[in-house]
Short mmCIF file of all heavy atoms in Angstrom, two decimals:
data_model
loop_
_atom_site.label_atom_id
_atom_site.label_comp_id
_atom_site.label_asym_id
_atom_site.label_seq_id
_atom_site.Cartn_x
_atom_site.Cartn_y
_atom_site.Cartn_z
N LEU A 1492 19.73 0.58 4.14
CA LEU A 1492 19.23 0.67 5.51
C LEU A 1492 18.15 -0.35 5.87
O LEU A 1492 18.33 -1.12 6.80
CB LEU A 1492 18.71 2.09 5.80
CG LEU A 1492 18.47 2.41 7.28
CD1 LEU A 1492 19.74 2.20 8.08
CD2 LEU A 1492 17.97 3.84 7.43
N GLY A 1493 17.01 -0.34 5.18
CA GLY A 1493 15.94 -1.22 5.64
C GLY A 1493 15.03 -1.67 4.54
O GLY A 1493 15.41 -1.73 3.36
N ALA A 1494 13.80 -1.95 4.92
CA ALA A 1494 12.85 -2.68 4.09
C ALA A 1494 12.76 -2.18 2.66
O ALA A 1494 13.09 -2.90 1.71
CB ALA A 1494 11.48 -2.62 4.76
N ARG A 1495 12.31 -0.96 2.45
CA ARG A 1495 12.02 -0.48 1.11
C ARG A 1495 13.28 -0.41 0.25
O ARG A 1495 13.28 -0.83 -0.91
CB ARG A 1495 11.36 0.89 1.21
CG ARG A 1495 10.95 1.51 -0.11
CD ARG A 1495 10.03 2.69 0.14
NE ARG A 1495 10.04 3.64 -0.96
CZ ARG A 1495 9.34 4.76 -1.00
NH1 ARG A 1495 8.55 5.06 0.02
NH2 ARG A 1495 9.41 5.58 -2.04
N GLY A 1496 14.36 0.10 0.81
CA GLY A 1496 15.59 0.22 0.04
C GLY A 1496 16.22 -1.13 -0.27
O GLY A 1496 16.63 -1.40 -1.41
N LEU A 1497 16.30 -1.99 0.74
CA LEU A 1497 16.92 -3.30 0.54
C LEU A 1497 16.15 -4.13 -0.48
O LEU A 1497 16.75 -4.80 -1.33
CB LEU A 1497 16.97 -4.05 1.87
CG LEU A 1497 18.14 -3.71 2.80
CD1 LEU A 1497 17.96 -4.40 4.15
CD2 LEU A 1497 19.47 -4.11 2.18
N MET A 1498 14.83 -4.07 -0.44
CA MET A 1498 14.05 -4.88 -1.37
C MET A 1498 14.18 -4.38 -2.80
O MET A 1498 14.16 -5.18 -3.74
CB MET A 1498 12.59 -4.92 -0.94
CG MET A 1498 12.36 -5.82 0.26
SD MET A 1498 10.60 -6.12 0.57
CE MET A 1498 10.11 -4.50 1.14
N THR A 1499 14.29 -3.07 -2.99
CA THR A 1499 14.49 -2.56 -4.35
C THR A 1499 15.83 -3.03 -4.90
O THR A 1499 15.94 -3.40 -6.08
CB THR A 1499 14.40 -1.03 -4.37
OG1 THR A 1499 13.18 -0.62 -3.74
CG2 THR A 1499 14.42 -0.50 -5.79
N LYS A 1500 16.85 -3.05 -4.04
CA LYS A 1500 18.15 -3.58 -4.47
C LYS A 1500 18.04 -5.08 -4.79
O LYS A 1500 18.62 -5.57 -5.78
CB LYS A 1500 19.19 -3.36 -3.37
CG LYS A 1500 20.61 -3.84 -3.71
CD LYS A 1500 21.18 -3.11 -4.91
CE LYS A 1500 22.70 -3.22 -5.00
NZ LYS A 1500 23.22 -4.58 -5.02
N PHE A 1501 17.28 -5.81 -4.01
CA PHE A 1501 17.04 -7.22 -4.29
C PHE A 1501 16.37 -7.40 -5.64
O PHE A 1501 16.73 -8.27 -6.43
CB PHE A 1501 16.15 -7.83 -3.19
CG PHE A 1501 16.91 -8.49 -2.08
CD1 PHE A 1501 17.81 -7.79 -1.30
CD2 PHE A 1501 16.73 -9.84 -1.81
CE1 PHE A 1501 18.50 -8.39 -0.27
CE2 PHE A 1501 17.42 -10.45 -0.78
CZ PHE A 1501 18.31 -9.73 -0.01
N LEU A 1502 15.35 -6.57 -5.92
CA LEU A 1502 14.66 -6.66 -7.21
C LEU A 1502 15.63 -6.42 -8.35
O LEU A 1502 15.58 -7.10 -9.39
CB LEU A 1502 13.53 -5.63 -7.27
CG LEU A 1502 12.25 -5.92 -6.48
CD1 LEU A 1502 11.30 -4.73 -6.56
CD2 LEU A 1502 11.56 -7.17 -6.97
N TRP A 1503 16.49 -5.45 -8.18
CA TRP A 1503 17.46 -5.13 -9.24
C TRP A 1503 18.42 -6.29 -9.48
O TRP A 1503 18.71 -6.67 -10.62
CB TRP A 1503 18.24 -3.86 -8.88
CG TRP A 1503 19.05 -3.38 -10.05
CD1 TRP A 1503 20.27 -3.85 -10.47
CD2 TRP A 1503 18.68 -2.36 -10.98
NE1 TRP A 1503 20.67 -3.19 -11.59
CE2 TRP A 1503 19.71 -2.27 -11.93
CE3 TRP A 1503 17.58 -1.53 -11.10
CZ2 TRP A 1503 19.68 -1.37 -12.98
CZ3 TRP A 1503 17.54 -0.63 -12.15
CH2 TRP A 1503 18.59 -0.55 -13.09
N ASP A 1504 18.89 -6.86 -8.39
CA ASP A 1504 19.92 -7.91 -8.50
C ASP A 1504 19.34 -9.28 -8.89
O ASP A 1504 19.98 -10.04 -9.61
CB ASP A 1504 20.65 -8.06 -7.17
CG ASP A 1504 21.53 -6.86 -6.84
OD1 ASP A 1504 21.81 -6.05 -7.75
OD2 ASP A 1504 21.91 -6.71 -5.66
N ARG A 1505 18.16 -9.58 -8.41
CA ARG A 1505 17.67 -10.95 -8.48
C ARG A 1505 16.66 -11.22 -9.59
O ARG A 1505 16.52 -12.37 -10.01
CB ARG A 1505 17.02 -11.33 -7.15
CG ARG A 1505 17.99 -11.44 -5.98
CD ARG A 1505 17.24 -11.92 -4.76
NE ARG A 1505 18.12 -12.23 -3.65
CZ ARG A 1505 17.81 -13.07 -2.68
NH1 ARG A 1505 16.65 -13.70 -2.71
NH2 ARG A 1505 18.65 -13.30 -1.68
N MET A 1506 15.92 -10.20 -10.02
CA MET A 1506 14.85 -10.46 -10.96
C MET A 1506 15.22 -10.06 -12.38
O MET A 1506 15.64 -8.94 -12.61
CB MET A 1506 13.56 -9.74 -10.53
CG MET A 1506 12.33 -10.25 -11.26
SD MET A 1506 10.80 -9.41 -10.76
CE MET A 1506 10.72 -9.88 -9.04
N LYS A 1507 15.04 -10.96 -13.28
CA LYS A 1507 15.34 -10.70 -14.68
C LYS A 1507 14.39 -9.65 -15.22
O LYS A 1507 13.19 -9.67 -14.96
CB LYS A 1507 15.20 -12.00 -15.49
CG LYS A 1507 15.56 -11.86 -16.96
CD LYS A 1507 15.41 -13.19 -17.68
CE LYS A 1507 15.72 -13.05 -19.17
NZ LYS A 1507 15.53 -14.34 -19.88
N SER A 1508 14.93 -8.72 -15.98
CA SER A 1508 14.12 -7.66 -16.56
C SER A 1508 13.02 -8.24 -17.45
O SER A 1508 13.25 -9.17 -18.22
CB SER A 1508 15.00 -6.72 -17.38
OG SER A 1508 14.24 -5.68 -17.94
N GLY A 1509 11.81 -7.69 -17.32
CA GLY A 1509 10.70 -8.13 -18.14
C GLY A 1509 9.92 -9.30 -17.57
O GLY A 1509 9.01 -9.82 -18.23
N THR A 1510 10.24 -9.72 -16.35
CA THR A 1510 9.52 -10.84 -15.73
C THR A 1510 8.05 -10.49 -15.53
O THR A 1510 7.73 -9.46 -14.92
CB THR A 1510 10.14 -11.18 -14.36
OG1 THR A 1510 11.51 -11.54 -14.53
CG2 THR A 1510 9.40 -12.33 -13.69
N PRO A 1511 7.11 -11.30 -16.02
CA PRO A 1511 5.68 -11.02 -15.81
C PRO A 1511 5.29 -11.19 -14.34
O PRO A 1511 5.92 -11.95 -13.59
CB PRO A 1511 4.98 -12.06 -16.69
CG PRO A 1511 6.01 -12.53 -17.66
CD PRO A 1511 7.32 -12.44 -16.92
N ALA A 1512 4.24 -10.50 -13.95
CA ALA A 1512 3.81 -10.52 -12.55
C ALA A 1512 3.41 -11.91 -12.09
O ALA A 1512 3.67 -12.30 -10.95
CB ALA A 1512 2.66 -9.55 -12.34
N PHE A 1513 2.76 -12.67 -12.96
CA PHE A 1513 2.30 -14.00 -12.56
C PHE A 1513 3.28 -15.11 -12.93
O PHE A 1513 2.93 -16.29 -12.89
CB PHE A 1513 0.91 -14.28 -13.17
CG PHE A 1513 -0.18 -13.46 -12.56
CD1 PHE A 1513 -1.21 -12.96 -13.35
CD2 PHE A 1513 -0.20 -13.17 -11.21
CE1 PHE A 1513 -2.23 -12.20 -12.79
CE2 PHE A 1513 -1.21 -12.41 -10.63
CZ PHE A 1513 -2.23 -11.92 -11.43
N SER A 1514 4.49 -14.73 -13.28
CA SER A 1514 5.53 -15.72 -13.55
C SER A 1514 6.04 -16.32 -12.24
O SER A 1514 6.10 -15.64 -11.21
CB SER A 1514 6.69 -15.07 -14.30
OG SER A 1514 7.84 -15.90 -14.29
N ALA A 1515 6.42 -17.59 -12.30
CA ALA A 1515 7.05 -18.21 -11.13
C ALA A 1515 8.34 -17.51 -10.75
O ALA A 1515 8.80 -17.59 -9.60
CB ALA A 1515 7.31 -19.69 -11.40
N ASP A 1516 8.96 -16.81 -11.71
CA ASP A 1516 10.22 -16.11 -11.45
C ASP A 1516 10.01 -14.79 -10.72
O ASP A 1516 10.98 -14.16 -10.28
CB ASP A 1516 10.96 -15.84 -12.76
CG ASP A 1516 11.45 -17.11 -13.42
OD1 ASP A 1516 11.76 -18.08 -12.69
OD2 ASP A 1516 11.50 -17.15 -14.66
N ASN A 1517 8.77 -14.32 -10.61
CA ASN A 1517 8.50 -13.12 -9.82
C ASN A 1517 8.77 -13.43 -8.35
O ASN A 1517 8.29 -14.43 -7.82
CB ASN A 1517 7.04 -12.68 -9.99
CG ASN A 1517 6.74 -11.32 -9.35
OD1 ASN A 1517 7.62 -10.65 -8.83
ND2 ASN A 1517 5.47 -10.94 -9.39
N THR A 1518 9.57 -12.60 -7.71
CA THR A 1518 9.89 -12.78 -6.30
C THR A 1518 9.08 -11.80 -5.48
O THR A 1518 9.08 -10.60 -5.74
CB THR A 1518 11.39 -12.55 -6.04
OG1 THR A 1518 12.15 -13.49 -6.78
CG2 THR A 1518 11.72 -12.70 -4.56
N ILE A 1519 8.36 -12.29 -4.48
CA ILE A 1519 7.65 -11.43 -3.54
C ILE A 1519 8.40 -11.46 -2.21
O ILE A 1519 8.75 -12.53 -1.71
CB ILE A 1519 6.17 -11.85 -3.39
CG1 ILE A 1519 5.44 -10.87 -2.47
CG2 ILE A 1519 6.01 -13.29 -2.93
CD1 ILE A 1519 3.92 -11.01 -2.50
N MET A 1520 8.66 -10.27 -1.67
CA MET A 1520 9.51 -10.14 -0.48
C MET A 1520 8.77 -9.45 0.65
O MET A 1520 8.01 -8.51 0.43
CB MET A 1520 10.77 -9.34 -0.84
CG MET A 1520 11.67 -10.05 -1.83
SD MET A 1520 12.98 -8.97 -2.45
CE MET A 1520 12.04 -7.94 -3.57
N PHE A 1521 9.02 -9.92 1.86
CA PHE A 1521 8.41 -9.39 3.08
C PHE A 1521 9.55 -9.00 4.01
O PHE A 1521 10.22 -9.87 4.56
CB PHE A 1521 7.53 -10.45 3.73
CG PHE A 1521 6.57 -11.12 2.79
CD1 PHE A 1521 6.99 -12.16 1.94
CD2 PHE A 1521 5.24 -10.74 2.73
CE1 PHE A 1521 6.11 -12.78 1.08
CE2 PHE A 1521 4.35 -11.37 1.86
CZ PHE A 1521 4.79 -12.39 1.04
N PHE A 1522 9.78 -7.70 4.18
CA PHE A 1522 10.98 -7.26 4.88
C PHE A 1522 10.68 -6.36 6.07
O PHE A 1522 9.64 -5.70 6.14
CB PHE A 1522 11.90 -6.50 3.91
CG PHE A 1522 12.95 -7.35 3.26
CD1 PHE A 1522 12.60 -8.52 2.63
CD2 PHE A 1522 14.28 -6.98 3.28
CE1 PHE A 1522 13.56 -9.32 2.00
CE2 PHE A 1522 15.24 -7.76 2.67
CZ PHE A 1522 14.89 -8.94 2.03
N THR A 1523 11.64 -6.35 6.97
CA THR A 1523 11.64 -5.48 8.15
C THR A 1523 12.74 -4.44 8.00
O THR A 1523 13.41 -4.37 6.97
CB THR A 1523 11.87 -6.31 9.41
OG1 THR A 1523 13.21 -6.85 9.37
CG2 THR A 1523 10.87 -7.46 9.52
N GLY A 1524 12.95 -3.63 9.04
CA GLY A 1524 14.01 -2.64 9.05
C GLY A 1524 14.78 -2.69 10.36
O GLY A 1524 14.47 -3.50 11.25
N PRO A 1525 15.77 -1.81 10.54
CA PRO A 1525 16.63 -1.87 11.72
C PRO A 1525 15.93 -1.52 13.02
O PRO A 1525 16.47 -1.80 14.09
CB PRO A 1525 17.74 -0.87 11.39
CG PRO A 1525 17.14 0.07 10.41
CD PRO A 1525 16.20 -0.77 9.59
N LEU A 1526 14.77 -0.89 12.97
CA LEU A 1526 14.03 -0.57 14.19
C LEU A 1526 12.80 -1.46 14.39
O LEU A 1526 12.07 -1.30 15.37
CB LEU A 1526 13.60 0.90 14.18
CG LEU A 1526 14.72 1.94 14.18
CD1 LEU A 1526 14.15 3.35 14.24
CD2 LEU A 1526 15.69 1.71 15.33
N THR A 1527 12.57 -2.39 13.47
CA THR A 1527 11.42 -3.29 13.62
C THR A 1527 11.58 -4.13 14.88
O THR A 1527 12.64 -4.70 15.13
CB THR A 1527 11.30 -4.23 12.41
OG1 THR A 1527 11.37 -3.48 11.21
CG2 THR A 1527 9.98 -4.99 12.45
N GLY A 1528 10.52 -4.19 15.68
CA GLY A 1528 10.57 -4.96 16.91
C GLY A 1528 11.26 -4.24 18.04
O GLY A 1528 11.37 -4.77 19.15
N LEU A 1529 11.74 -3.03 17.75
CA LEU A 1529 12.42 -2.24 18.77
C LEU A 1529 11.62 -0.96 19.02
O LEU A 1529 10.54 -1.00 19.57
CB LEU A 1529 13.86 -1.94 18.33
CG LEU A 1529 14.76 -3.16 18.10
CD1 LEU A 1529 16.09 -2.75 17.49
CD2 LEU A 1529 14.97 -3.91 19.42
N LEU A 1530 12.09 0.15 18.54
CA LEU A 1530 11.54 1.45 18.87
C LEU A 1530 10.36 1.78 17.94
O LEU A 1530 10.53 2.46 16.93
CB LEU A 1530 12.63 2.51 18.75
CG LEU A 1530 12.31 3.88 19.34
CD1 LEU A 1530 12.14 3.79 20.84
CD2 LEU A 1530 13.41 4.86 19.01
N ASN A 1531 9.17 1.28 18.25
CA ASN A 1531 7.97 1.59 17.49
C ASN A 1531 8.05 1.14 16.04
O ASN A 1531 7.26 1.58 15.20
CB ASN A 1531 7.67 3.11 17.55
CG ASN A 1531 6.25 3.43 17.16
OD1 ASN A 1531 6.02 4.28 16.30
ND2 ASN A 1531 5.28 2.76 17.76
N GLY A 1532 9.00 0.28 15.71
CA GLY A 1532 9.08 -0.26 14.35
C GLY A 1532 8.13 -1.44 14.20
O GLY A 1532 8.38 -2.50 14.78
N ASN A 1533 7.04 -1.25 13.46
CA ASN A 1533 6.03 -2.30 13.43
C ASN A 1533 5.46 -2.60 12.05
O ASN A 1533 4.62 -3.47 11.91
CB ASN A 1533 4.86 -1.95 14.37
CG ASN A 1533 4.31 -0.56 14.12
OD1 ASN A 1533 4.18 -0.13 12.98
ND2 ASN A 1533 3.98 0.16 15.20
N ARG A 1534 5.92 -1.89 11.03
CA ARG A 1534 5.33 -2.13 9.72
C ARG A 1534 6.13 -3.19 8.95
O ARG A 1534 7.35 -3.32 9.13
CB ARG A 1534 5.26 -0.83 8.91
CG ARG A 1534 4.41 0.23 9.60
CD ARG A 1534 3.95 1.30 8.67
NE ARG A 1534 3.00 0.84 7.68
CZ ARG A 1534 1.71 0.66 7.93
NH1 ARG A 1534 1.21 0.88 9.14
NH2 ARG A 1534 0.90 0.26 6.97
N THR A 1535 5.41 -3.95 8.15
CA THR A 1535 6.03 -4.92 7.25
C THR A 1535 5.88 -4.36 5.84
O THR A 1535 4.77 -3.98 5.44
CB THR A 1535 5.32 -6.28 7.32
OG1 THR A 1535 5.37 -6.76 8.66
CG2 THR A 1535 5.99 -7.28 6.38
N ILE A 1536 6.98 -4.28 5.09
CA ILE A 1536 6.95 -3.74 3.74
C ILE A 1536 7.09 -4.91 2.76
O ILE A 1536 7.94 -5.80 2.94
CB ILE A 1536 8.07 -2.71 3.51
CG1 ILE A 1536 8.09 -1.69 4.65
CG2 ILE A 1536 7.89 -2.02 2.16
CD1 ILE A 1536 6.81 -0.88 4.80
N ILE A 1537 6.25 -4.90 1.72
CA ILE A 1537 6.19 -6.01 0.78
C ILE A 1537 6.45 -5.48 -0.62
O ILE A 1537 5.87 -4.46 -1.03
CB ILE A 1537 4.81 -6.70 0.84
CG1 ILE A 1537 4.51 -7.13 2.28
CG2 ILE A 1537 4.77 -7.91 -0.09
CD1 ILE A 1537 3.10 -7.65 2.49
N ARG A 1538 7.34 -6.13 -1.36
CA ARG A 1538 7.70 -5.71 -2.72
C ARG A 1538 7.60 -6.90 -3.67
O ARG A 1538 7.92 -8.04 -3.31
CB ARG A 1538 9.13 -5.15 -2.74
CG ARG A 1538 9.21 -3.68 -2.29
CD ARG A 1538 9.18 -2.79 -3.51
NE ARG A 1538 8.68 -1.47 -3.19
CZ ARG A 1538 9.41 -0.36 -3.20
NH1 ARG A 1538 10.69 -0.41 -3.50
NH2 ARG A 1538 8.85 0.80 -2.94
N PHE A 1539 7.24 -6.59 -4.94
CA PHE A 1539 7.04 -7.64 -5.94
C PHE A 1539 6.80 -6.97 -7.29
O PHE A 1539 6.68 -5.75 -7.38
CB PHE A 1539 5.82 -8.50 -5.56
CG PHE A 1539 4.61 -7.68 -5.17
CD1 PHE A 1539 3.66 -7.30 -6.10
CD2 PHE A 1539 4.46 -7.26 -3.85
CE1 PHE A 1539 2.56 -6.53 -5.74
CE2 PHE A 1539 3.36 -6.47 -3.48
CZ PHE A 1539 2.41 -6.11 -4.42
N LYS A 1540 6.74 -7.76 -8.33
CA LYS A 1540 6.31 -7.27 -9.64
C LYS A 1540 4.79 -7.29 -9.64
O LYS A 1540 4.17 -8.33 -9.42
CB LYS A 1540 6.87 -8.20 -10.73
CG LYS A 1540 6.91 -7.59 -12.13
CD LYS A 1540 8.04 -6.59 -12.25
CE LYS A 1540 8.26 -6.09 -13.65
NZ LYS A 1540 8.81 -7.12 -14.55
N SER A 1541 4.18 -6.13 -9.87
CA SER A 1541 2.75 -6.00 -9.66
C SER A 1541 1.93 -6.41 -10.88
O SER A 1541 2.25 -6.02 -12.01
CB SER A 1541 2.42 -4.54 -9.32
OG SER A 1541 1.03 -4.30 -9.39
N PRO A 1542 0.82 -7.15 -10.67
CA PRO A 1542 -0.09 -7.46 -11.77
C PRO A 1542 -1.01 -6.29 -12.12
O PRO A 1542 -1.71 -6.33 -13.13
CB PRO A 1542 -0.91 -8.63 -11.23
CG PRO A 1542 -0.91 -8.43 -9.75
CD PRO A 1542 0.43 -7.82 -9.42
N LEU A 1543 -1.01 -5.26 -11.27
CA LEU A 1543 -1.90 -4.12 -11.47
C LEU A 1543 -1.16 -2.90 -11.99
O LEU A 1543 -1.61 -2.22 -12.91
CB LEU A 1543 -2.60 -3.78 -10.14
CG LEU A 1543 -3.79 -2.83 -10.19
CD1 LEU A 1543 -4.92 -3.38 -11.06
CD2 LEU A 1543 -4.30 -2.56 -8.77
N THR A 1544 -0.01 -2.61 -11.40
CA THR A 1544 0.82 -1.50 -11.86
C THR A 1544 1.41 -1.86 -13.21
O THR A 1544 2.03 -2.89 -13.37
CB THR A 1544 1.98 -1.24 -10.88
OG1 THR A 1544 1.47 -1.13 -9.56
CG2 THR A 1544 2.73 0.02 -11.24
N ALA A 1545 1.20 -1.01 -14.20
CA ALA A 1545 1.69 -1.34 -15.54
C ALA A 1545 1.91 -0.08 -16.36
O ALA A 1545 1.36 0.98 -16.07
CB ALA A 1545 0.69 -2.26 -16.25
N THR A 1546 2.73 -0.20 -17.37
CA THR A 1546 2.86 0.87 -18.36
C THR A 1546 1.67 0.79 -19.30
O THR A 1546 0.89 -0.17 -19.30
CB THR A 1546 4.15 0.70 -19.17
OG1 THR A 1546 4.03 -0.46 -20.01
CG2 THR A 1546 5.36 0.54 -18.27
N SER A 1547 1.54 1.79 -20.15
CA SER A 1547 0.44 1.78 -21.12
C SER A 1547 0.60 0.68 -22.15
O SER A 1547 -0.35 0.34 -22.86
CB SER A 1547 0.34 3.14 -21.81
OG SER A 1547 1.55 3.46 -22.46
N THR A 1548 1.79 0.09 -22.24
CA THR A 1548 1.99 -1.04 -23.15
C THR A 1548 1.82 -2.39 -22.45
O THR A 1548 2.03 -3.44 -23.05
CB THR A 1548 3.40 -0.98 -23.78
OG1 THR A 1548 4.38 -0.97 -22.74
CG2 THR A 1548 3.55 0.28 -24.63
N GLY A 1549 1.46 -2.35 -21.16
CA GLY A 1549 1.13 -3.58 -20.45
C GLY A 1549 2.27 -4.22 -19.70
O GLY A 1549 2.09 -5.29 -19.11
N LEU A 1550 3.46 -3.61 -19.67
CA LEU A 1550 4.58 -4.18 -18.93
C LEU A 1550 4.39 -3.91 -17.44
O LEU A 1550 4.07 -2.81 -17.02
CB LEU A 1550 5.90 -3.57 -19.40
CG LEU A 1550 6.30 -3.89 -20.84
CD1 LEU A 1550 7.54 -3.11 -21.23
CD2 LEU A 1550 6.56 -5.38 -21.01
N ASN A 1551 4.59 -4.94 -16.62
CA ASN A 1551 4.40 -4.80 -15.17
C ASN A 1551 5.53 -4.02 -14.52
O ASN A 1551 6.70 -4.19 -14.86
CB ASN A 1551 4.30 -6.19 -14.53
CG ASN A 1551 3.14 -6.99 -15.08
OD1 ASN A 1551 3.32 -8.11 -15.55
ND2 ASN A 1551 1.94 -6.44 -15.01
N LEU A 1552 5.15 -3.18 -13.55
CA LEU A 1552 6.11 -2.34 -12.85
C LEU A 1552 6.14 -2.72 -11.36
O LEU A 1552 5.80 -3.83 -10.98
CB LEU A 1552 5.74 -0.87 -13.03
CG LEU A 1552 5.71 -0.35 -14.48
CD1 LEU A 1552 5.24 1.09 -14.50
CD2 LEU A 1552 7.08 -0.48 -15.12
N MET A 1553 6.55 -1.78 -10.54
CA MET A 1553 6.76 -1.99 -9.11
C MET A 1553 5.47 -2.31 -8.38
O MET A 1553 4.44 -1.66 -8.59
CB MET A 1553 7.37 -0.72 -8.51
CG MET A 1553 7.67 -0.79 -7.03
SD MET A 1553 9.18 -1.71 -6.69
CE MET A 1553 10.43 -0.56 -7.30
N GLY A 1554 5.51 -3.31 -7.54
CA GLY A 1554 4.43 -3.58 -6.61
C GLY A 1554 4.92 -3.29 -5.20
O GLY A 1554 6.03 -3.66 -4.83
#
Side-chain angles (χ1 to χ4, degrees):
L1492 194 57
R1495 182 167 156 181
L1497 278 173
M1498 285 191 290
T1499 307
K1500 181 62 161 56
F1501 266 60
L1502 285 175
W1503 190 280
D1504 291 344
R1505 292 184 172 204
M1506 195 179 297
K1507 183 179 178 182
S1508 181
T1510 300
F1513 290 142
S1514 166
D1516 293 328
N1517 188 5
T1518 299
I1519 184 167
M1520 294 170 285
F1521 311 80
F1522 265 52
T1523 66
L1526 297 183
T1527 311
L1529 299 172
L1530 193 65
N1531 197 232
N1533 51 40
R1534 300 199 68 80
T1535 302
I1536 311 299
I1537 305 172
R1538 278 265 155 112
F1539 47 92
K1540 200 75 172 290
S1541 167
L1543 193 60
T1544 309
T1546 69
S1547 58
T1548 57
L1550 295 174
N1551 300 125
L1552 300 176
M1553 181 78 71

